């Protein structure tokens, strides 16, 4: 059995009076992530982990931020497409482990819904998705609530 591991990272600037979508959940906050798509930092990191594990380059290669077809698109669609590409290479997802680094708002109450959204988009069990969150202890651009960061790792295996 061939097993591969992928790592993903994403960062987005936070802007006032902008939607804040993380893990497919619209969070109530005075600032939101800014980007070409819906700027879902968590899903972008997961897409990069999956694509990287399958040696399919990165999210920017497949979903260019200069292409109007991706403008404002839900990152759940980008995740579904990334999973499709991984499956086309003969792999299935074993698990996903992700970490958000964000000062506010609190993420814990939203984790079950995020897991469900990711499970549905990726076609895997909620039990195979771990999401954690931490702050940056008020240091740096994260601590000043100027940006948000997500990291993800995944395991894929030949199906």
């Amino acid at each position: 059995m061939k097993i591969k591991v992928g790592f993903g990272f994403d960062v987005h600037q936070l802007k006032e009076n902008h939607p804040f979508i993380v893990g497919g959940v619209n969070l109530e906050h005075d600032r939101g992530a800014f980007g070409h798509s819906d700027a879902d930092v968590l899903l972008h990191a997961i897409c990069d982990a999956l694509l990287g594990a399958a040696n399919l380059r990165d999210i920017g290669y497949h979903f260019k931020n200069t292409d109007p077809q991706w403008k404002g698109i839900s990152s759940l669609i980008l995740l579904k497409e990334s999973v499709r590409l991984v499956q086309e290479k003969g792999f299935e997802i074993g698990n996903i482990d992700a970490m958000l680094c964000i000062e506010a708002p609190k993420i814990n109450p939203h984790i079950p819904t995020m897991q469900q959204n990711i499970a549905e988009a990726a076609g895997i069990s909620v039990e195979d998705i771990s999401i954690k969150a931490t702050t940056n202890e008020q240091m740096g651009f994260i601590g000043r609530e100027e940006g948000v960061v997500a990291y993800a790792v995944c395991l894929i295996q030949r199906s």
Side-chain angles (χ1 to χ4, degrees):
M1 176 189 309
K2 181 75 170 182
I3 296 173
K4 297 180 108 185
V5 175
F7 171 75
F9 166 84
D10 197 36
V11 61
H12 280 278
Q13 183 179 22
L14 295 178
K15 292 190 174 190
E16 289 184 6
N17 301 314
H18 202 76
F20 199 3
I21 300 170
V22 178
V25 175
N26 194 351
L27 303 176
E28 294 215 15
H29 195 54
D30 64 337
R31 298 173 190 179
F34 179 77
H36 184 70
S37 66
D38 65 2
D40 189 324
V41 68
L42 178 63
L43 296 186
H44 292 182
I46 291 170
C47 287
D48 266 345
L50 291 167
L51 292 167
N55 196 20
L56 289 167
R57 300 190 61 171
D58 60 37
I59 191 171
Y61 178 80
H62 294 278
F63 314 109
K64 294 180 179 15
N65 65 4
T66 55
D67 188 336
Q69 78 172 327
W70 308 121
K71 178 76 173 153
I73 196 164
S74 167
S75 293
L76 289 167
I77 294 170
L78 303 182
L79 177 58
K80 285 179 188 176
E81 181 63 13
S82 297
V83 169
R84 185 189 67 75
L85 291 167
V86 168
Q87 290 172 337
E88 275 185 0
K89 282 200 76 173
F91 290 98
E92 61 184 34
I93 300 169
N95 74 302
I96 296 168
D97 185 18
M99 171 69 80
L100 282 162
C101 192
I102 183 172
E103 210 64 35
K106 293 294 182 196
I107 297 300
N108 261 343
H110 306 286
I111 287 176
T113 304
M114 291 176 186
Q115 288 174 300
Q116 187 62 44
N117 291 343
I118 295 165
E120 288 174 10
I124 62 175
S125 169
V126 170
E127 293 298 314
D128 294 324
I129 302 162
S130 171
I131 301 171
K132 303 164 305 291
T134 189
T135 68
N136 215 41
E137 300 295 331
Q138 300 179 337
M139 295 183 294
F141 72 89
I142 295 167
R144 292 187 300 272
E145 294 187 53
E146 296 170 359
V148 59
V149 169
Y151 304 91
V153 293
C154 71
L155 180 135
I156 62 173
Q157 56 204 12
R158 286 269 182 220
S159 41

